[in-house]
Amino acid sequence: MNARILKYMLSVGLAIGIVSACKDEFLSRDPQGQYSPTALKTPAGVEGLLVGAYAMIDGQGLDGQDSWNNDIQSWVFGGLASDDSYKGTDAGDQPEQSFIEKWDFQPTNGHIRNKWRGLYKGIARTNDVINTLSEVKEVSDARRKQIIAEARFLRGLFHFEAKKMWKTIPYIDETIYKLDDLESTKIPNDKDAWPMIEADFKAASEGLPEAQSQVGRPTKWAALAFLAKTYMYQGWNISTGAANVAVLQKAKPVLEQIVASGKFTLAPKFEDNFLIATRNNAESIFEIQYAVSSASGDAADAGVGLAHPYIDPWGCCGFYQPSQNLVNAFKTSAAGLPLLDTFNDSDVKNDQGLKYTDPFEPYTGTLDPRLDQTVGRRGILFKDFKIHGSDFIRDQTYAGPYSPKKHISEKAGFGINGWGNLSSNNYRIMRYGMVLLWLAECEVELGNLENARKLVNQIRTRAMNPAGFVKKAVQGSKSRDDFTVMNEPAANYLIKIYDQAWTNAATARKAVRFESRLEFAMEGHRFFDLQRWGIAAETLNAYVAVESNKRVYKKGAVFTKGKNEFFPIPQEAIDRSYKAGAATLTQDPAYK
């Protein structure tokens, strides 16, 4: 559903509810300037509350909080805390992110606090929908069932995002949440939330239709995909890295059901997943919808607004720059395959320390073409704006020579609102490629290596489509924006499928995980993938050992196993949980 329409519907629905609830008696009038629970106990009011729950997906709508550091895209946590990216910009900008990047997680970090606030506000809104609906009799049984299913899908989504952030969380459903009792949600975080999250997605899958008339509302398939994702996040022992085969055996049939449905297919070109023009395509299972107009950017993709190049037309702000390690991961062998063990032995050539006008000889080695759809780098056309150079970067010495690219809208979507960094480029939080690679992960652990190879090859075959390669562009002389696009690839792209049988589980596992990194790089998933596989400490400490020689501020950073896989519960949340003189929330022991 278009986010601008959602917010319009909310205002209309609430207005209808308020008008219908007006009374003549002065003393019985509802307070002015706010919505009363009584006014919302109508069909229109319930629909408005549901829209309000959807609105929390982007993290906006809370006082004293910026959406760009707590929305579900998770680039601050899933990206900066991983080996995919640096904080970017310059050393003094948003120091709280610098602590996250170096795994110095503190309960007082404002970004961690805001993430908690945004998610639990969303949870509150979903429970308000269900509780209010129970008191409205005029809603048909069919619509009632779907409203509950949509609310439970959202509740599952918000709790899921919290569970991957924090080791133990309070799970709050409609039987706990009471709108008129501020103490009702002060419950301990002493239970495993996974079964309740699973129950929400299962119930949603049973109550949702296979297709929706409005994009942005979840379908049965979206609920099943997120159910499978909850299993995948329980599929390994985070401490040991050992596979939990029993859980993966639950995930596999759910993933196979989605594949067998025939409802989804990989988009023809990799870049179709990152363009405004190809939103909600055949690969999309669930997208977070954004919209802008000349009048308003309130429903825009604000979460990544600051993660744009420093040059015009964006001019702000240079956050979330890709790491050299990530760029190196896109190198390929003479056979067109990833260099699983040696990719970081040498660097893809870059223009570190050079000015835009300085001569530069580009890297001539073979590369996976997905690199230049993911990363802005010297000499390559950046979307359809201009050729990337050092003038894109705020401080190369601090944060390197690369720019993020996937979330940037193409030129046709720029400047509609006053600030062009606010765009209607959706966030594809669940797409079919994820389903295929999760299924490949299951097949490896269940001993079906050849099935896993075939699934990975589907992803690689799409990446091999030359129609999706970035084309070479030649700088013109009229202006910085003057360029000519040539009918040839921008770099020495070489990618092939795995054409030899997979016979070694360890190698197959590494190949599947590497493919996930290449396919979903800079989309906010990497840290949480390393977390769930139980390999975060070994991967990230090896990463920083090399990367600190390039980014000196990383020297001394250490990822502590058994601690940094999760974030600390915000101190503010603990302080606000006091009931009968004691806090009901307990801090992760690793952070005490």
Side-chain angles (χ1 to χ4, degrees):
M1 185 186 303
N2 183 290
R4 178 167 54 83
I5 295 174
L6 284 177
K7 293 191 175 183
Y8 172 77
M9 287 173 58
L10 176 59
S11 63
V12 171
L14 295 180
I16 291 171
I18 290 171
V19 170
S20 67
C22 288
K23 301 178 184 300
D24 293 333
E25 297 85 356
F26 175 79
L27 293 178
S28 64
R29 288 180 182 175
D30 293 324
Q32 299 300 300
Q34 65 185 42
Y35 305 119
S36 74
T38 302
L40 296 174
K41 292 176 182 177
T42 65
V46 171
E47 296 288 357
L49 289 174
L50 181 58
V51 169
Y54 277 103
M56 284 311 302
I57 289 180
D58 64 11
Q60 299 184 65
L62 292 181
D63 292 338
Q65 163 166 355
D66 295 319
S67 65
W68 62 270
N69 59 37
N70 79 299
D71 72 339
I72 282 183
Q73 293 200 42
S74 284
W75 67 268
V76 172
F77 306 102
L80 301 191
S82 79
D83 49 358
D84 271 6
S85 72
Y86 315 132
K87 185 203 75 175
T89 181
D90 61 26
D93 207 348
Q94 293 294 326
E96 287 182 312
Q97 291 185 17
S98 296
F99 289 114
I100 291 171
E101 182 182 2
K102 294 189 288 187
W103 314 302
D104 185 2
F105 304 152
Q106 297 296 328
T108 54
N109 188 298
H111 291 357
I112 297 173
R113 176 201 65 206
N114 286 350
K115 184 75 171 181
W116 180 283
R117 292 182 72 225
L119 292 174
Y120 276 93
K121 181 64 174 178
I123 290 166
R125 290 188 181 184
T126 62
N127 287 320
D128 198 16
V129 170
I130 296 172
N131 285 337
T132 303
L133 178 64
S134 69
E135 299 187 53
V136 179
K137 307 305 180 185
E138 299 87 353
V139 178
S140 70
D141 290 344
R143 182 59 190 148
R144 183 180 303 274
K145 178 181 178 182
Q146 187 165 328
I147 288 173
I148 292 173
E150 290 186 30
R152 293 196 69 175
F153 173 87
L154 293 173
R155 187 171 72 191
L157 176 60
F158 292 131
H159 276 109
F160 174 87
E161 289 294 316
K163 186 68 176 75
K164 74 181 190 184
M165 282 282 297
W166 297 284
K167 192 171 185 178
T168 56
I169 62 167
Y171 175 87
I172 300 171
D173 66 10
E174 78 279 8
T175 66
I176 296 171
Y177 176 83
K178 300 290 183 277
L179 181 63
D180 57 355
D181 182 3
L182 296 178
E183 303 287 284
S184 65
T185 56
K186 294 180 178 181
I187 63 171
N189 55 328
D190 58 355
K191 296 181 176 63
D192 182 8
W194 282 127
M196 287 82 86
I197 297 170
E198 291 170 19
D200 272 337
F201 287 132
K202 286 178 182 177
S205 71
E206 293 165 359
L208 290 170
E210 293 194 6
Q212 292 270 23
S213 60
Q214 292 178 311
V215 295
R217 293 187 186 268
T219 64
K220 168 185 177 177
W221 306 109
L224 287 173
F226 277 97
L227 174 61
K229 190 173 183 178
T230 65
Y231 292 139
M232 298 307 295
Y233 270 71
Q234 300 171 77
W236 286 265
N237 184 307
I238 291 176
S239 298
T240 67
N244 187 335
V245 173
V247 176
L248 295 176
Q249 286 176 327
K250 292 181 180 180
K252 182 181 175 181
V254 179
L255 294 165
E256 289 177 327
Q257 184 181 356
I258 297 170
V259 172
S261 73
K263 300 289 185 181
F264 308 98
T265 185
L266 295 176
K269 297 182 292 184
F270 181 61
E271 71 171 343
D272 289 340
N273 292 298
F274 317 111
L275 299 175
I276 291 177
T278 47
R279 292 173 296 179
N280 303 303
N281 60 39
E283 187 168 346
S284 174
I285 298 177
F286 188 67
E287 293 188 16
I288 298 176
Q289 308 290 316
Y290 294 107
V292 294
S293 70
S294 58
S296 174
D298 290 347
D301 186 359
V304 288
L306 304 188
H308 283 63
Y310 205 58
I311 194 175
D312 70 274
W314 308 281
C316 179
C317 293
F319 284 91
Y320 196 31
Q321 290 181 232
S323 70
Q324 186 64 53
N325 181 286
L326 174 63
V327 172
N328 292 344
F330 286 89
K331 293 188 295 186
T332 59
S333 69
L337 297 175
L339 304 174
L340 301 180
D341 297 308
T342 61
F343 74 93
N344 207 36
D345 288 354
S346 62
D347 291 345
V348 171
K349 192 172 183 180
N350 61 66
D351 61 336
Q352 177 74 50
L354 298 178
K355 296 179 180 179
Y356 168 70
T357 52
D358 291 337
F360 176 72
E361 292 294 328
Y363 181 76
T364 57
T366 55
L367 294 166
D368 187 310
R370 287 173 288 187
L371 169 61
D372 291 322
Q373 302 287 7
T374 304
V375 176
R377 63 190 185 100
R378 176 68 178 265
I380 309 295
L381 184 61
F382 191 87
K383 295 283 185 170
D384 54 353
F385 285 93
K386 63 185 73 184
I387 297 172
H388 193 279
S390 60
D391 49 355
F392 272 59
I393 309 298
R394 187 169 188 171
D395 185 349
Q396 275 207 11
T397 302
Y398 176 73
Y402 304 113
S403 298
K405 198 170 186 179
K406 284 182 174 178
H407 62 274
I408 310 291
S409 75
E410 56 268 43
K411 188 178 289 186
F414 179 84
I416 297 172
N417 182 252
W419 189 36
N421 292 18
L422 298 180
S423 80
S424 54
N425 202 3
N426 289 353
Y427 177 51
R428 284 75 161 176
I429 191 173
M430 182 64 71
R431 52 190 175 94
Y432 186 57
M434 296 172 181
V435 169
L436 295 179
L437 287 177
W438 288 334
L439 185 54
E441 290 183 34
C442 294
E443 297 287 28
V444 168
E445 304 306 333
L446 298 176
N448 307 314
L449 304 188
E450 280 297 271
N451 287 349
R453 181 174 71 92
K454 292 175 183 177
L455 290 161
V456 170
N457 279 344
Q458 288 188 50
I459 299 292
R460 295 185 66 79
T461 297
R462 189 263 298 280
M464 290 164 54
N465 179 5
F469 293 0
V470 174
K471 296 293 190 286
K472 182 178 180 179
V474 178
Q475 182 67 48
S477 58
K478 296 179 181 178
S479 70
R480 182 67 179 84
D481 297 335
D482 180 25
F483 60 85
T484 301
V485 177
M486 313 299 287
N487 190 28
E488 59 182 285
N492 187 10
Y493 301 133
L494 180 64
I495 178 172
K496 300 292 184 182
I497 61 170
Y498 288 94
D499 58 4
Q500 299 295 314
W502 284 1
T503 57
N504 180 276
T507 301
R509 182 179 302 113
K510 190 178 298 183
V512 173
R513 292 175 177 179
F514 208 95
E515 198 66 31
S516 292
R517 186 184 191 190
L518 298 175
E519 182 75 4
F520 308 119
M522 301 297 290
E523 294 182 46
H525 306 295
R526 175 65 173 171
F527 176 82
F528 299 107
D529 280 342
L530 296 175
Q531 172 207 78
R532 68 185 178 88
W533 292 327
I535 60 171
E538 62 193 75
T539 303
L540 295 176
N541 284 325
Y543 156 74
V544 79
V546 176
E547 212 72 15
S548 61
N549 295 317
K550 303 177 177 72
R551 311 270 76 81
V552 295
Y553 69 86
K554 285 183 172 286
K555 288 187 181 295
V558 176
F559 186 99
T560 303
K561 187 175 180 63
K563 176 179 181 179
N564 295 139
E565 288 86 357
F566 294 96
F567 296 85
I569 293 176
Q571 187 60 46
E572 179 184 275
I574 294 174
D575 293 343
R576 289 175 177 268
S577 76
Y578 270 74
K579 187 175 183 179
T584 55
L585 291 180
T586 301
Q587 183 61 272
D588 183 341
Y591 289 96
K592 286 186 176 180

